[in-house]
Amino acid sequence: MTTATPQLTRAVARAGTPLKPILKPTSTLLGMRRTSDDAGLDDNSMDGPQSPRKRQKVEFDLNNIEIHEIGARSFEEIKQEIKKALERHDQGDDEDYDILKDTLSGKQTSYDEEDEDEDVDPTLLAKRRQELKVYLVSLASFSPRLGKSCDGLIKSVLQCQWLARDDQFAKIYVQFLAALVSAQGARLTQVLSSIVERFTDSRISDWAVPNYPEVNRETIQERLHVALQYLLQLFPSAKPVLEHLITTKYPFHDESKRMHLAYVDNLLRLRTYCPYLKTEITDLIVSRLVKIDVEMQMDLDNMDDGLAAMVAMALKSSRESSNQDEEDSDESDTESVDSDESEEDEYTRVKTAKDNIEKMDSMLDILFELYTPEFVNPDSDEAFEAFEDLVSEFSNLILPTIKSRHTQFLIFHFAQKSERLMDAFCGTCINIAFESQRPLILQQAASAYLASFVARGAHVPGRIVVKIFEVLGFHLDQMRALYETTCRGPDVRRYTPFYALMQALMYIYCFRWQDLIKSVPDEVDKDDISSYLDQEIEWEAEIKDIMRRNIYSRLNPLKVCSPVIVEEFASLAHRFRFMYVYPLIESNKRLRLSQFSSGAYSSGGALRDLSFDMSDESWQQLGSFFPFDPYQLPVSKRWVEQDYLQWRLIPGLGQDERDDNDSDEEEQDVDDDGEVEEDTATDDEASQAE
């Protein structure tokens, strides 16, 4: 087993810093002075626009922009108007300046009122639309003057709905932005922010302009990213600024699913043409996904069965109505929010949980689809490089978050694509679990992830299961030798790494006992798991000795490990004649953990002050956290359905055969994380198998 850990560090995200102007030569920009000839404004332009049918189609190419039509006024008139407004603004007279702001914001209220007059020239509105283009071309020549004193004017321009206008306007607008940043470097963050803020737009109403033809979302996104790519090419120093902005502008966790998906879609488009941010973008998405995952799991853990059933019903109803028109769905979402706000708190909780589940489901489905092409050839160097990114996200974002429930299935799925990838993931977990400088909580989590991966991974071959079991057993023996010299008895606070590792081995045994067998008698039918019961089975070398040495050590792990896992292991070990531990379990019932507890709580006084029940020892036992329990998200589960092993209930191994068990303890939920039942397969999965 290779234990070399892939490179796990990431470059620290650099905060945006003020940029100097003139980041690149601007000879191709609109920021230089232009004559009417340069702008394509000849004397004949004043005769009125050509017929729209005869107008040559303008491609969205930012290199050569020409205005072949002029509005109601000439280029020079508009230029003089802007000059006058700026000069008077500098003198404290803002009347013309305010009119200019309103004009450049793209508002058309006054035009619409005039259009109601039947005598108005039908070409007047088209001319005035053209005027706005000329305003932008003219304003670009004043870019050096658009400093801090013109913040209001720039704000109006950046609020202009440019995306849903014609192609020519979009080109002119983008080159105006380039000219502005070229002359006013401090405006870079403001300009990029105005673009990133549109990443959440997904409905036509978000970008529609009155009296303009409807523009679809694909066109809007294309224009948005052509603009962003153009600015990044002109101003390389924009990249760290953009990295900061995509983080700060990311939707809050309680924003709608629609906004989250639109933002993620735009981030992934950005990722295709900005390799510098490729890793940072996926890290950002995964980190926000983990936060939603944790909140969702906490909400569900705090719900009773009735509320959980209401969440399931809400999800079913949402899926049934998913074929509605997108616009109608958005409106209905808004209405449901308004309705829920006036309902009782439990209905708000149900809606919040349902929304988080749908966000998680859709975003994970996107990420599975994003990474899948990288692993077409899972043994290639390209696949391994992509997997290293996943390992880094796991180590830095997922592993430290104990409550994460679904995000980790990304690495669970892709790690099983080849043995090379399995080895890399297992090696990473082993290194983290046994590096002494790591926090104990991370060591314990790494052991749980490794055990859960090996136990649940349907494509993990038996030889890797045996190898991992032996490696973990070796480290377990080392820990036992270290701890036994000072051990007076079981103490979870002092010996947590040992108990976490022991519990991991029992968990692996419960799921993969067949892979730990070396040979069986001839009467055993390998296709009939019940035929293994009460047979003389030969186990792989050292497997039985590892378990016996550590179970019967002074650390007494069966007293401290999760009772549900201990019970399942005891039942299987007994019927497979692997080990008979029920006498030890019975003697442990008479043992009080408090007599061995270390630290401030050993006397129990502090616990009594906190109203702890001193007869309840669950707080002194190890919680059972095994993160790869069955994946239940309705849409994205298609990616992992064939990846994990379900719990198999063995016929003939019934509840009544578990010698002298305390049924109350057996049914007790001792997992504070709410995951024991699925992970140990004692309830939900067992009932499904029946």
mmCIF file of all heavy atoms in Angstrom, residues 28 38 42-43 70 95 147 186 199 215 250 310 319 345 372 405 425 428 434 456 489 492 494 509 550 605 629 662 672:
data_model
loop_
_atom_site.group_PDB
_atom_site.id
_atom_site.type_symbol
_atom_site.label_atom_id
_atom_site.label_comp_id
_atom_site.label_asym_id
_atom_site.label_seq_id
_atom_site.Cartn_x
_atom_site.Cartn_y
_atom_site.Cartn_z
ATOM 1 N N THR A 28 -6.256 50.043 -29.205
ATOM 2 C CA THR A 28 -7.449 49.485 -29.837
ATOM 3 C C THR A 28 -8.717 49.805 -29.075
ATOM 4 O O THR A 28 -9.788 49.346 -29.436
ATOM 5 C CB THR A 28 -7.309 47.960 -29.929
ATOM 6 O OG1 THR A 28 -7.213 47.424 -28.611
ATOM 7 C CG2 THR A 28 -6.098 47.562 -30.748
ATOM 8 N N ASP A 38 -13.731 58.261 -37.451
ATOM 9 C CA ASP A 38 -13.277 57.079 -36.726
ATOM 10 C C ASP A 38 -14.453 56.287 -36.197
ATOM 11 O O ASP A 38 -14.421 55.054 -36.125
ATOM 12 C CB ASP A 38 -12.362 57.466 -35.556
ATOM 13 C CG ASP A 38 -11.056 58.058 -36.047
ATOM 14 O OD1 ASP A 38 -10.620 57.694 -37.155
ATOM 15 O OD2 ASP A 38 -10.497 58.874 -35.301
ATOM 16 N N ASP A 42 -20.403 59.497 -40.726
ATOM 17 C CA ASP A 42 -20.164 60.397 -41.843
ATOM 18 C C ASP A 42 -21.330 61.370 -41.971
ATOM 19 O O ASP A 42 -22.307 61.313 -41.246
ATOM 20 C CB ASP A 42 -19.964 59.597 -43.131
ATOM 21 C CG ASP A 42 -21.117 58.644 -43.391
ATOM 22 O OD1 ASP A 42 -22.277 59.077 -43.232
ATOM 23 O OD2 ASP A 42 -20.853 57.472 -43.763
ATOM 24 N N ASP A 43 -21.177 62.309 -42.902
ATOM 25 C CA ASP A 43 -22.177 63.365 -43.055
ATOM 26 C C ASP A 43 -23.537 62.808 -43.431
ATOM 27 O O ASP A 43 -24.576 63.386 -43.111
ATOM 28 C CB ASP A 43 -21.715 64.371 -44.127
ATOM 29 C CG ASP A 43 -20.466 65.113 -43.682
ATOM 30 O OD1 ASP A 43 -20.247 65.158 -42.450
ATOM 31 O OD2 ASP A 43 -19.731 65.614 -44.550
ATOM 32 N N ILE A 70 -26.911 56.891 -36.836
ATOM 33 C CA ILE A 70 -26.817 57.945 -35.836
ATOM 34 C C ILE A 70 -28.215 58.223 -35.319
ATOM 35 O O ILE A 70 -29.203 57.994 -36.004
ATOM 36 C CB ILE A 70 -26.185 59.228 -36.427
ATOM 37 C CG1 ILE A 70 -25.867 60.208 -35.292
ATOM 38 C CG2 ILE A 70 -27.110 59.861 -37.449
ATOM 39 C CD1 ILE A 70 -24.887 59.710 -34.307
ATOM 40 N N GLU A 95 -27.242 69.827 -12.450
ATOM 41 C CA GLU A 95 -28.480 69.644 -13.207
ATOM 42 C C GLU A 95 -28.220 68.832 -14.489
ATOM 43 O O GLU A 95 -28.884 67.819 -14.743
ATOM 44 C CB GLU A 95 -29.091 70.991 -13.562
ATOM 45 C CG GLU A 95 -30.405 70.867 -14.336
ATOM 46 C CD GLU A 95 -31.031 72.220 -14.649
ATOM 47 O OE1 GLU A 95 -30.483 73.250 -14.209
ATOM 48 O OE2 GLU A 95 -32.066 72.232 -15.340
ATOM 49 N N GLY A 147 -12.985 60.187 -12.661
ATOM 50 C CA GLY A 147 -12.404 59.758 -11.399
ATOM 51 C C GLY A 147 -13.442 59.647 -10.298
ATOM 52 O O GLY A 147 -14.641 59.482 -10.541
ATOM 53 N N ALA A 186 -8.381 52.166 -10.801
ATOM 54 C CA ALA A 186 -9.099 51.919 -9.553
ATOM 55 C C ALA A 186 -10.527 51.445 -9.798
ATOM 56 O O ALA A 186 -11.191 50.953 -8.877
ATOM 57 C CB ALA A 186 -9.120 53.185 -8.699
ATOM 58 N N PHE A 199 -24.056 36.937 -12.389
ATOM 59 C CA PHE A 199 -23.934 35.484 -12.417
ATOM 60 C C PHE A 199 -25.170 34.777 -11.867
ATOM 61 O O PHE A 199 -25.396 33.613 -12.176
ATOM 62 C CB PHE A 199 -22.702 35.032 -11.615
ATOM 63 C CG PHE A 199 -21.405 35.115 -12.389
ATOM 64 C CD1 PHE A 199 -21.321 35.804 -13.587
ATOM 65 C CD2 PHE A 199 -20.256 34.499 -11.910
ATOM 66 C CE1 PHE A 199 -20.128 35.882 -14.293
ATOM 67 C CE2 PHE A 199 -19.058 34.555 -12.595
ATOM 68 C CZ PHE A 199 -18.999 35.246 -13.795
ATOM 69 N N VAL A 215 -34.460 38.179 -25.205
ATOM 70 C CA VAL A 215 -33.163 37.526 -25.399
ATOM 71 C C VAL A 215 -33.080 36.337 -24.455
ATOM 72 O O VAL A 215 -33.372 36.463 -23.260
ATOM 73 C CB VAL A 215 -31.998 38.506 -25.126
ATOM 74 C CG1 VAL A 215 -30.650 37.812 -25.340
ATOM 75 C CG2 VAL A 215 -32.116 39.727 -26.020
ATOM 76 N N TYR A 250 -20.663 35.091 -4.029
ATOM 77 C CA TYR A 250 -21.342 33.796 -4.031
ATOM 78 C C TYR A 250 -22.644 33.906 -3.241
ATOM 79 O O TYR A 250 -22.684 34.507 -2.178
ATOM 80 C CB TYR A 250 -20.448 32.732 -3.404
ATOM 81 C CG TYR A 250 -20.799 31.317 -3.797
ATOM 82 C CD1 TYR A 250 -20.064 30.649 -4.751
ATOM 83 C CD2 TYR A 250 -21.873 30.647 -3.205
ATOM 84 C CE1 TYR A 250 -20.375 29.344 -5.123
ATOM 85 C CE2 TYR A 250 -22.201 29.359 -3.562
ATOM 86 C CZ TYR A 250 -21.445 28.712 -4.526
ATOM 87 O OH TYR A 250 -21.771 27.438 -4.891
ATOM 88 N N MET A 310 -42.943 15.195 6.273
ATOM 89 C CA MET A 310 -43.399 16.361 5.518
ATOM 90 C C MET A 310 -42.337 16.812 4.522
ATOM 91 O O MET A 310 -42.655 17.241 3.402
ATOM 92 C CB MET A 310 -43.753 17.497 6.483
ATOM 93 C CG MET A 310 -44.986 17.229 7.330
ATOM 94 S SD MET A 310 -45.292 18.525 8.553
ATOM 95 C CE MET A 310 -45.655 19.918 7.497
ATOM 96 N N ARG A 319 -40.688 17.370 -7.255
ATOM 97 C CA ARG A 319 -40.238 16.602 -8.420
ATOM 98 C C ARG A 319 -41.368 16.411 -9.425
ATOM 99 O O ARG A 319 -41.149 16.447 -10.631
ATOM 100 C CB ARG A 319 -39.685 15.248 -7.980
ATOM 101 C CG ARG A 319 -38.371 15.318 -7.228
ATOM 102 C CD ARG A 319 -37.696 13.964 -7.173
ATOM 103 N NE ARG A 319 -38.508 12.978 -6.490
ATOM 104 C CZ ARG A 319 -38.481 12.762 -5.182
ATOM 105 N NH1 ARG A 319 -37.694 13.514 -4.415
ATOM 106 N NH2 ARG A 319 -39.238 11.840 -4.626
ATOM 107 N N ASP A 345 -43.864 27.898 12.457
ATOM 108 C CA ASP A 345 -42.419 27.711 12.316
ATOM 109 C C ASP A 345 -42.069 26.355 11.713
ATOM 110 O O ASP A 345 -41.110 26.236 10.955
ATOM 111 C CB ASP A 345 -41.752 27.845 13.685
ATOM 112 C CG ASP A 345 -40.253 27.609 13.623
ATOM 113 O OD1 ASP A 345 -39.566 28.392 12.952
ATOM 114 O OD2 ASP A 345 -39.780 26.625 14.226
ATOM 115 N N THR A 372 -16.647 13.661 -14.445
ATOM 116 C CA THR A 372 -16.702 12.368 -15.126
ATOM 117 C C THR A 372 -15.809 12.284 -16.369
ATOM 118 O O THR A 372 -15.094 11.280 -16.552
ATOM 119 C CB THR A 372 -18.159 12.018 -15.482
ATOM 120 O OG1 THR A 372 -18.897 11.831 -14.266
ATOM 121 C CG2 THR A 372 -18.234 10.754 -16.318
ATOM 122 N N ARG A 405 -22.450 15.102 4.959
ATOM 123 C CA ARG A 405 -23.192 13.853 4.754
ATOM 124 C C ARG A 405 -23.141 13.341 3.311
ATOM 125 O O ARG A 405 -23.184 12.141 3.070
ATOM 126 C CB ARG A 405 -24.646 14.092 5.192
ATOM 127 C CG ARG A 405 -25.619 12.983 4.858
ATOM 128 C CD ARG A 405 -25.347 11.733 5.666
ATOM 129 N NE ARG A 405 -26.345 10.714 5.373
ATOM 130 C CZ ARG A 405 -26.345 9.928 4.310
ATOM 131 N NH1 ARG A 405 -25.385 10.044 3.401
ATOM 132 N NH2 ARG A 405 -27.286 9.024 4.129
ATOM 133 N N PHE A 425 -6.135 7.478 -2.359
ATOM 134 C CA PHE A 425 -7.072 7.939 -1.331
ATOM 135 C C PHE A 425 -6.805 7.252 0.008
ATOM 136 O O PHE A 425 -6.755 7.905 1.057
ATOM 137 C CB PHE A 425 -8.507 7.680 -1.775
ATOM 138 C CG PHE A 425 -9.529 8.043 -0.735
ATOM 139 C CD1 PHE A 425 -9.680 9.365 -0.327
ATOM 140 C CD2 PHE A 425 -10.329 7.073 -0.146
ATOM 141 C CE1 PHE A 425 -10.611 9.709 0.640
ATOM 142 C CE2 PHE A 425 -11.257 7.407 0.813
ATOM 143 C CZ PHE A 425 -11.406 8.731 1.208
ATOM 144 N N THR A 428 -3.726 8.631 1.627
ATOM 145 C CA THR A 428 -3.968 9.947 2.222
ATOM 146 C C THR A 428 -4.627 9.806 3.583
ATOM 147 O O THR A 428 -4.220 10.455 4.563
ATOM 148 C CB THR A 428 -4.855 10.794 1.288
ATOM 149 O OG1 THR A 428 -4.167 11.010 0.057
ATOM 150 C CG2 THR A 428 -5.177 12.131 1.920
ATOM 151 N N PHE A 434 -2.411 8.870 11.129
ATOM 152 C CA PHE A 434 -1.289 8.489 11.983
ATOM 153 C C PHE A 434 -0.182 9.530 12.037
ATOM 154 O O PHE A 434 0.928 9.223 12.474
ATOM 155 C CB PHE A 434 -0.742 7.132 11.525
ATOM 156 C CG PHE A 434 -1.782 6.055 11.526
ATOM 157 C CD1 PHE A 434 -2.122 5.402 10.350
ATOM 158 C CD2 PHE A 434 -2.460 5.730 12.684
ATOM 159 C CE1 PHE A 434 -3.098 4.431 10.338
ATOM 160 C CE2 PHE A 434 -3.439 4.752 12.686
ATOM 161 C CZ PHE A 434 -3.760 4.102 11.513
ATOM 162 N N ARG A 456 -17.598 0.003 2.555
ATOM 163 C CA ARG A 456 -18.742 0.285 1.687
ATOM 164 C C ARG A 456 -18.425 0.256 0.190
ATOM 165 O O ARG A 456 -19.336 0.144 -0.629
ATOM 166 C CB ARG A 456 -19.308 1.663 2.026
ATOM 167 C CG ARG A 456 -20.052 1.744 3.333
ATOM 168 C CD ARG A 456 -21.395 1.086 3.243
ATOM 169 N NE ARG A 456 -22.279 1.466 4.329
ATOM 170 C CZ ARG A 456 -23.544 1.091 4.423
ATOM 171 N NH1 ARG A 456 -24.071 0.322 3.490
ATOM 172 N NH2 ARG A 456 -24.288 1.460 5.438
ATOM 173 N N GLY A 489 -7.531 1.478 32.771
ATOM 174 C CA GLY A 489 -8.804 0.950 32.316
ATOM 175 C C GLY A 489 -9.298 1.769 31.135
ATOM 176 O O GLY A 489 -8.636 2.715 30.682
ATOM 177 N N VAL A 492 -11.986 6.979 27.117
ATOM 178 C CA VAL A 492 -12.096 7.506 25.759
ATOM 179 C C VAL A 492 -11.381 8.840 25.605
ATOM 180 O O VAL A 492 -10.908 9.180 24.505
ATOM 181 C CB VAL A 492 -13.583 7.633 25.346
ATOM 182 C CG1 VAL A 492 -14.272 8.762 26.109
ATOM 183 C CG2 VAL A 492 -13.723 7.844 23.843
ATOM 184 N N ARG A 494 -8.524 9.792 26.928
ATOM 185 C CA ARG A 494 -7.074 9.649 26.827
ATOM 186 C C ARG A 494 -6.648 8.817 25.624
ATOM 187 O O ARG A 494 -5.570 9.028 25.068
ATOM 188 C CB ARG A 494 -6.517 9.005 28.107
ATOM 189 C CG ARG A 494 -6.669 9.859 29.355
ATOM 190 C CD ARG A 494 -5.999 9.210 30.537
ATOM 191 N NE ARG A 494 -4.557 9.106 30.370
ATOM 192 C CZ ARG A 494 -3.745 8.516 31.250
ATOM 193 N NH1 ARG A 494 -4.240 7.962 32.345
ATOM 194 N NH2 ARG A 494 -2.444 8.475 31.018
ATOM 195 N N TYR A 509 -14.903 -5.382 9.418
ATOM 196 C CA TYR A 509 -15.209 -6.807 9.559
ATOM 197 C C TYR A 509 -16.694 -7.069 9.297
ATOM 198 O O TYR A 509 -17.052 -8.043 8.614
ATOM 199 C CB TYR A 509 -14.830 -7.281 10.963
ATOM 200 C CG TYR A 509 -15.119 -8.744 11.203
ATOM 201 C CD1 TYR A 509 -14.171 -9.718 10.928
ATOM 202 C CD2 TYR A 509 -16.364 -9.152 11.692
ATOM 203 C CE1 TYR A 509 -14.449 -11.066 11.132
ATOM 204 C CE2 TYR A 509 -16.653 -10.491 11.899
ATOM 205 C CZ TYR A 509 -15.694 -11.447 11.621
ATOM 206 O OH TYR A 509 -15.981 -12.774 11.805
ATOM 207 N N ASN A 550 -6.048 -6.909 20.840
ATOM 208 C CA ASN A 550 -6.490 -5.562 21.191
ATOM 209 C C ASN A 550 -7.832 -5.541 21.917
ATOM 210 O O ASN A 550 -8.051 -4.700 22.782
ATOM 211 C CB ASN A 550 -6.553 -4.716 19.918
ATOM 212 C CG ASN A 550 -5.174 -4.419 19.369
ATOM 213 O OD1 ASN A 550 -4.448 -3.570 19.872
ATOM 214 N ND2 ASN A 550 -4.785 -5.141 18.318
ATOM 215 N N GLY A 605 -18.467 15.815 39.339
ATOM 216 C CA GLY A 605 -19.077 17.018 39.885
ATOM 217 C C GLY A 605 -19.506 18.000 38.820
ATOM 218 O O GLY A 605 -20.622 18.536 38.851
ATOM 219 N N ASP A 629 -22.522 6.178 4.411
ATOM 220 C CA ASP A 629 -23.745 5.408 4.519
ATOM 221 C C ASP A 629 -24.597 5.679 3.279
ATOM 222 O O ASP A 629 -24.259 6.542 2.473
ATOM 223 C CB ASP A 629 -24.485 5.742 5.814
ATOM 224 C CG ASP A 629 -24.757 7.218 5.971
ATOM 225 O OD1 ASP A 629 -24.245 7.998 5.149
ATOM 226 O OD2 ASP A 629 -25.484 7.601 6.893
ATOM 227 N N ASP A 662 -29.098 -6.688 26.053
ATOM 228 C CA ASP A 662 -30.052 -5.750 26.622
ATOM 229 C C ASP A 662 -30.751 -5.046 25.471
ATOM 230 O O ASP A 662 -30.147 -4.237 24.785
ATOM 231 C CB ASP A 662 -29.312 -4.732 27.508
ATOM 232 C CG ASP A 662 -30.274 -3.819 28.242
ATOM 233 O OD1 ASP A 662 -31.466 -3.773 27.874
ATOM 234 O OD2 ASP A 662 -29.817 -3.142 29.175
ATOM 235 N N ASP A 672 -24.549 10.794 18.273
ATOM 236 C CA ASP A 672 -24.979 12.194 18.290
ATOM 237 C C ASP A 672 -25.111 12.756 16.900
ATOM 238 O O ASP A 672 -25.795 13.751 16.678
ATOM 239 C CB ASP A 672 -23.979 13.048 19.090
ATOM 240 C CG ASP A 672 -23.999 12.685 20.561
ATOM 241 O OD1 ASP A 672 -25.034 12.148 21.012
ATOM 242 O OD2 ASP A 672 -22.983 12.921 21.245
#
